[in-house]
Amino acid sequence: MKGILKIINLVIGLAIIVGFLYGFWYLLSSLWRAFSGLPKEYVPAIVTAVTTFIVAVMTITLGKYLERRMIIDKEMREKKIPVYNELIDFMFDLMDNPHSKTPVEMNDFIKDFTKKILVWGSDEVIIQWSNYRNISKRKEEANDPNIILKELEKLLLTIRKDVGHKNKNLKEGILLSMFLKS
């Protein structure tokens, strides 16, 4: 059944492509016939006018698209940063005083943060948050704080990347050393 649907989709897709190609060819041949009968003095002016129009339309369309994309990215970043700051504040509190949070408070924070990150986090941040949580839960890794801290650093780097930082000069351990020295 799936094989037949794939063949039908392929045939429909090919028919659409052939239709577009035929329409494009027909348009070009019609334009060629229309312009071939004009005096040669008019052709450069017409080509210039058409080219100017096409470039103007493309420039405006692309500009509006990019502007809308930048606005959406800015609004998303404004929503993400407070969520990410909550995690960083929570982690700093735990690093400063490991006994400042009860297990219930930590679980409540994790649940609340997970809800927020599902809405506002990028795919990469969600994946890294899941990796961090899964490694933190495993008994083998839970006994080795280096593994958990390395995953935390990966999460922090992913968060930085999500809010627009390049992270290109940050070597492994840099963020973690800042985090632990504070």
Side-chain angles (χ1 to χ4, degrees), residues 78-115:
E78 288 173 359
K79 298 288 186 180
K80 290 176 182 184
I81 290 173
V83 173
Y84 295 156
N85 277 340
E86 285 180 30
L87 174 68
I88 292 169
D89 289 344
F90 183 80
M91 292 297 183
F92 269 97
D93 288 347
L94 278 180
M95 294 292 177
D96 286 343
N97 186 0
H99 303 292
S100 64
K101 307 286 183 198
T102 66
V104 172
E105 289 174 319
M106 290 196 300
N107 283 334
D108 288 345
F109 173 81
I110 289 170
K111 262 197 293 189
D112 187 48
F113 182 74
T114 301
K115 287 178 191 175

Side-chain angles (χ1 to χ4, degrees), residues 113-174:
F113 182 74
T114 301
K115 287 178 191 175
K116 290 177 184 176
I117 207 168
L118 285 174
V119 175
W120 298 112
S122 69
D123 294 351
E124 294 81 15
V125 171
I126 291 171
I127 290 168
Q128 195 55 48
W129 172 247
S130 177
N131 290 344
Y132 173 72
R133 287 195 56 207
N134 289 336
I135 285 178
S136 298
K137 289 179 193 175
R138 287 191 216 132
K139 291 189 186 215
E140 313 85 61
E141 282 87 357
N143 290 333
D144 186 358
N146 290 331
I147 294 173
I148 295 172
L149 290 174
K150 284 181 182 180
E151 283 302 311
L152 174 61
E153 185 172 48
K154 288 180 190 175
L155 175 62
L156 294 173
L157 287 167
T158 306
I159 287 172
R160 284 179 48 82
K161 184 178 178 191
D162 191 31
V163 296
H165 297 288
K166 301 286 185 231
N167 293 337
K168 71 178 189 177
N169 294 323
L170 294 178
K171 295 182 175 102
E172 186 177 320
I174 295 286

